[in-house]
Amino acid sequence: MQERMGNPALVLPAAMQALNALGKVPAEAGLSPKLLELVNLRASQINGCSVCIDGHPRIAKKLGETDERLFAVSAWRDTPYFSDAERAALALTEAVTRTSDRADPVTDEVWDEATRHYDGRSLAALVIAIANINVWNRLNIATRQIAGAWKP
């Protein structure tokens, strides 16, 4: 496979600035960088974004994330490696990423569980993080960016 064009965010520097600024918001709001990488990886797995599936575990490892947890992200419900707060974040990630899978993609049950673990500011940051990784996934997928070319 060959990429169709350079990543649009690189072609349009203003877009890169905006996406990078948006990407900093969740950590600045107090969310754990390790949690954010789990969210990034899970959304990217769902979307099939090879660039992000390759890159985000590298970032997570640099932050001290374990192989066990990284290998288990796709099966987070069935493994003992995640806290209840992380599970709530991963459930919300799946719901927000899979918006066309059901009429009410973010059910009250998923939302209420997230509100048990995250206050209004943290929850807003989490939703922004999920939306942002979905943007990156779609840019990479549409233009067929090559896994391994981005080495964070």
Side-chain angles (χ1 to χ4, degrees):
M1 184 181 335
Q2 187 173 7
E3 76 179 22
R4 291 179 168 147
M5 65 177 288
N7 189 296
L10 294 173
V11 174
L12 301 170
M16 179 63 89
Q17 285 181 315
L19 290 170
N20 281 337
L22 186 61
K24 292 177 184 176
V25 169
E28 290 171 353
L31 290 183
S32 158
K34 285 170 68 171
L35 172 67
L36 294 170
E37 291 309 320
L38 295 175
V39 164
N40 289 340
L41 179 56
R42 186 63 190 125
S44 299
Q45 289 170 336
I46 293 165
N47 289 325
C49 180
S50 63
V51 171
C52 291
I53 292 169
D54 181 68
H56 286 287
R58 296 174 195 276
I59 297 169
K61 291 282 288 182
K62 289 177 185 175
L63 294 169
E65 191 54 84
T66 66
D67 286 338
E68 288 172 326
R69 285 166 46 94
L70 291 172
F71 296 153
V73 167
S74 65
W76 61 268
R77 286 178 181 84
D78 302 318
T79 63
Y81 306 126
F82 304 99
S83 70
D84 289 344
E86 290 168 331
R87 291 174 187 283
L90 291 167
L92 185 61
T93 299
E94 289 184 0
V96 173
T97 300
R98 291 182 163 142
T99 57
S100 66
D101 286 359
R102 58 180 70 94
D104 182 15
V106 183
T107 64
D108 289 340
E109 178 184 10
V110 167
W111 186 261
D112 292 346
E113 183 63 16
T115 63
R116 286 188 48 225
H117 300 281
Y118 300 95
D119 64 18
R121 182 175 170 83
S122 295
L123 189 55
L126 184 57
V127 171
I128 286 171
I130 296 165
N132 194 44
I133 190 59
N134 274 279
V135 169
W136 280 110
N137 289 167
R138 282 151 177 76
L139 293 172
N140 290 331
I141 292 165
T143 59
R144 292 188 180 158
Q145 299 301 299
I146 306 300
W150 173 54
K151 296 275 193 211

